[in-house]
């Protein structure tokens, strides 16, 4: 679906998204109509009561003996109290319905949809979009949409219907006095809509800056140690202050324009009160148009009630601009191009043969990275990928796992084209241990079992033993049930790496990818892990990305990658004999060590 290009299309799409709760909206609408009807009835009852009292008092003042209808007066008072109570209860019922429906269904459904969308988005989108912006879309922007839908009935029914009802009733009472009041309404609405339209660009700027602020905050806290180590606290604070200042200025201008709407409406009502009092008093004094004191009371009450719907409609105009800005950001994310999925091929057979044929790829079309790459890896081989930083080593893994799609060429696993099978089926053939470890907030046991939830407790413990982390885990007060906190600060970097290695052991899949898997452990632990990895990689196809060449000297094949192309290929011994690019890298490492 194409992202809406106009406010009208955006509003229509919001209405379309409310279809699942349409039934509840109808129920809430009926309840709201009841509330409005009862509230409009109260001034008419007060008119009757006021006229009854005024007639009795005027007659008594003139010396006439007029009996007072106590029963009728009491009956009208009871009806008045019932109308006020009924209107209040109906209003409460509408609020409860809307709170429950909007929160539990509308906003929840949008957030679920966004979460599901993220699952189908390409890694490219996640890489280029700050995490804070995505969080801002799913929290603040969706909340704005929910608030708008929540206030929909108040604006449309309590506002528009009440406004129309008041107009009809006051014209029925006295057309001339009603005309003096009503003539001010279009003027008030015109200025409100005009001002609200001007505030749109400022609210859009606020939403944009809010997303940037989320991104900066997430960046600061995720890299808190680095910020402290380089003493960049002041710099981060300055960046945050600048963003806050820009957001404050935009919010100030937008809120100023939105806030002057209410005073305009209040001015309209004050003028209406003056018109009612002056004209009504003249009409009563001269006995014109059948005007009575009770009618003046009703007119004043209706004029006072007029402020509510006018303010509601005016606020609706202001809120609409803010909503459109938020909705466009939400729908832009929901309309992002998704990863294409194919189902022509079934899952790999679990053998482990891999083949690249003339693969071309670039992160930026203006800067090609990989050109005509061809690799053939037989099942059970250990393939090491080495080369300078930025040469394309990790990119090969990204393409193999289909985190990114090739620009040209083919990739085959067990003779099957990876672009003709679902990604989920393809990735069942792989286990990965990356340099950047990822653990979630939960127990150590759950983190190890993440790749294979149906594993037995003994299998989890065996995986930890093979990763040489079992002894450390058992030394903890709660052993395998120790909870890793959200920032994973209660275990060291090396221990995190060992846990992810144990996770890969447990998954036990035919193809293993190791991206600097031992970079965060000490030399003694590295040697132990290397031995267990050799056992794990036996009879499995393994891709090992390494900067420390000492860890891959026993590889069946070493691919030397530079600028996205294989510049050398062979065993460690043959590449040293060749005395080329690999030998240069290898000897430079040992020169640095010595």
């Amino acid at each position: 679906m194409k992202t809406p290009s106009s406010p009208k299309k955006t509003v229509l799409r919001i209405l379309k998204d409310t279809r699942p709760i349409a039934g509840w909206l109808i129920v809430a609408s009926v309840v709201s109509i009841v509330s409005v009807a009862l509230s409009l009835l109260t001034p008419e009852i007060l008119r009757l009561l006021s006229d009854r009292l005024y007639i009795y008092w005027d007659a008594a003042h003139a010396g006439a003996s007029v009996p007072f209808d106590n029963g009728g007066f009491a009956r009208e008072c009871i009806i008045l109290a019932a109308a006020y109570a009924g209107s209040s209860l109906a209003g409460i019922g509408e609020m409860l319905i809307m709170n429950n429906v909007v929160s539990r269904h509308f906003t929840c459904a949008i957030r679920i949809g966004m979460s599901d969308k993220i699952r189908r988005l390409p890694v490219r989108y996640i890489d280029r979009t700050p995490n804070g912006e995505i969080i801002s879309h799913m929290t603040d922007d969706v909340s704005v949409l929910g608030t708008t839908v929540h206030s929909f009935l108040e604006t449309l029914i309590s506002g528009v219907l009440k406004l129309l009802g008041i107009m009809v009733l006051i014209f029925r009472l006295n057309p001339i006095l009603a005309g003096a009041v009503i003539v001010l309404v279009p003027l008030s609405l015109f200025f409100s809509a005009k001002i609200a339209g001007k505030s749109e660009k400022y609210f859009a700027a606020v939403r944009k800056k809010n997303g940037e602020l989320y991104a900066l905050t997430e960046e600061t806290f995720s890299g808190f140690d680095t910020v402290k180590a380089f003493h960049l606290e002041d710099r981060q604070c300055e960046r945050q202050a600048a963003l806050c200042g820009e957001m404050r200025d935009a919010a100030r201008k937008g809120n100023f324009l939105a806030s002057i709407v209410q005073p305009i409406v209040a001015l309209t009502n004050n003028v209406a009160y003056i018109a009612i009092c002056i004209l009504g008093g003249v009409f009563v004094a001269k006995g014109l148009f059948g005007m009575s004191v009770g009618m003046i009371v009703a007119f004043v009450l209706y004029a006072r009630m007029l402020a509510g719907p006018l303010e509601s409609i005016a606020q609706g105009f202001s809120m609409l601009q803010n909503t459109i800005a938020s909705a466009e950001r939400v729908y832009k994310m929901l309309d992002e191009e998704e990863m294409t999925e194919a189902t022509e091929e079934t899952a790999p057979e679990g053998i482990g043969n891999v083949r690249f044929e003339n693969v071309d790829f670039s992160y930026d079309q203006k800067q090609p990275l990989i050109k005509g790459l061809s690799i053939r890896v037989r099942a059970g081989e250990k393939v090491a990928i080495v080369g300078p930083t930025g040469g394309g080593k990790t990119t090969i893994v990204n393409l193999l796992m289909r985190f990114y799609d090739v620009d040209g060429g083919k990739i085959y696993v067990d003779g099957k084209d990876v672009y003709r099978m679902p990604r989920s089926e393809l990735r069942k053939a792989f286990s990965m241990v990356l340099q950047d470890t990822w653990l979630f907030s939960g127990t150590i046991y759950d983190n190890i079992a993440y790749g294979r939830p149906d594993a037995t407790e003994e299998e989890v413990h065996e995986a930890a033993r093979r990763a040489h982390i079992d002894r450390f885990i058992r030394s903890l007060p709660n052993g395998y049930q120790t909870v890793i906190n959200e920032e994973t600060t209660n275990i060291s970097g090396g221990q995190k790496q060992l846990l992810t290695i144990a996770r890969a052991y447990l998954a036990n899949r035919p193809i293993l990818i190791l991206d600097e898997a031992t970079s965060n452990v000490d030399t003694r632990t590295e040697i132990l892990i290397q031995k267990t990895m050799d056992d794990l990689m036996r009879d499995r196809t393994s891709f090992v990305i390494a900067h420390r060449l000492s860890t891959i000297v026993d590889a069946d094949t070493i691919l030397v990658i530079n600028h996205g192309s294989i510049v050398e290929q062979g065993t460690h011994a043959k590449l040293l004999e060749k005395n080329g690019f690999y030998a240069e890298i290898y000897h430079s490492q040992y020169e640095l060590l010595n």
Side-chain angles (χ1 to χ4, degrees), residues 187-202:
L187 190 64
S188 175
L189 292 177
F190 172 77
F191 281 114
S192 298
K194 203 73 174 172
I195 293 170
K198 290 184 177 295
S199 66
E200 177 183 0
K201 62 179 180 180
Y202 297 114

Side-chain angles (χ1 to χ4, degrees), residues 47-255:
R47 179 183 73 83
L48 297 175
L49 287 171
S50 298
D51 282 341
R52 186 184 295 277
L53 289 172
Y54 180 76
I55 291 171
Y56 177 77
W57 175 84
D58 188 52
H61 188 266
S65 178
V66 178
F68 187 75
D69 186 2
N70 293 307
F73 184 82
R75 183 171 57 254
E76 289 169 358
C77 286
I78 293 172
I79 294 173
L80 179 65
Y84 274 122
S87 178
S88 298
L89 289 174
I92 293 172
E94 176 207 331
M95 181 186 66
L96 291 175
I97 292 172
M98 293 303 294
N99 280 343
N100 184 57
V101 172
V102 173
S103 299
R104 289 185 56 189
H105 298 284
F106 179 75
T107 56
C108 181
I110 292 180
R111 288 192 173 112
I112 290 174
M114 295 177 78
S115 297
D116 188 57
K117 179 71 176 185
I118 290 174
R119 183 175 61 86
R120 300 193 304 273
L121 286 174
V123 176
R124 189 188 300 271
Y125 172 82
I126 304 300
D127 285 346
R128 74 169 186 257
T129 307
N131 294 339
E133 283 194 18
I134 296 176
I135 294 171
S136 174
H137 297 338
M138 297 184 68
T139 52
D140 288 355
D141 289 333
V142 175
S143 293
V144 170
L145 290 181
T147 301
T148 300
V149 174
H150 189 281
S151 61
F152 169 76
L153 291 181
E154 181 179 351
T155 302
L156 187 63
I157 297 179
S158 298
V160 176
L161 287 186
K162 185 178 284 188
L163 183 63
L164 293 174
I166 291 172
M167 289 181 181
V168 171
L169 290 171
I170 61 176
F171 268 103
R172 187 180 64 82
L173 287 173
N174 189 290
I176 296 176
L177 195 57
V181 175
I182 296 302
V183 73
L184 300 171
V185 173
L187 190 64
S188 175
L189 292 177
F190 172 77
F191 281 114
S192 298
K194 203 73 174 172
I195 293 170
K198 290 184 177 295
S199 66
E200 177 183 0
K201 62 179 180 180
Y202 297 114
F203 285 123
V206 170
R207 307 311 311 168
K208 183 176 182 297
K209 294 301 176 184
N210 190 57
E212 294 177 10
L213 187 61
Y214 265 95
L216 177 62
T217 303
E218 193 274 338
E219 170 192 295
T220 301
F221 282 99
S222 62
F224 188 74
D225 292 343
T226 303
V227 171
K228 297 290 287 185
F230 285 89
H231 193 56
L232 297 175
E233 298 96 326
D234 292 341
R235 178 186 172 187
Q236 293 299 100
C237 286
E238 289 170 3
R239 290 175 61 192
Q240 187 173 41
L243 276 176
C244 287
E246 293 171 4
M247 188 166 73
R248 177 201 61 207
D249 292 340
R252 177 171 53 81
K253 293 174 181 177
N255 288 330

Side-chain angles (χ1 to χ4, degrees), residues 279-349:
L279 290 176
V282 170
F283 292 163
V284 171
K286 295 187 175 183
L288 299 175
F289 308 111
M291 179 65 68
S292 67
V293 173
M295 285 185 181
I296 295 178
V297 171
F299 259 102
V300 171
L301 290 174
Y302 280 129
R304 183 179 179 184
M305 291 174 64
L306 200 64
L310 284 176
E311 289 178 7
S312 178
I313 294 170
Q315 289 173 1
F317 282 128
S318 299
M319 183 180 294
L320 182 62
Q321 310 310 318
N322 195 13
T323 300
I324 289 172
S326 295
E328 287 178 348
R329 285 156 56 92
V330 170
Y331 292 141
K332 181 180 178 182
M333 177 180 172
L334 290 173
D335 292 339
E336 282 288 336
E337 186 176 352
E338 299 178 2
M339 297 181 293
T340 56
E341 284 287 11
T343 57
E344 293 93 340
E345 292 278 12
T346 56
E349 298 174 3

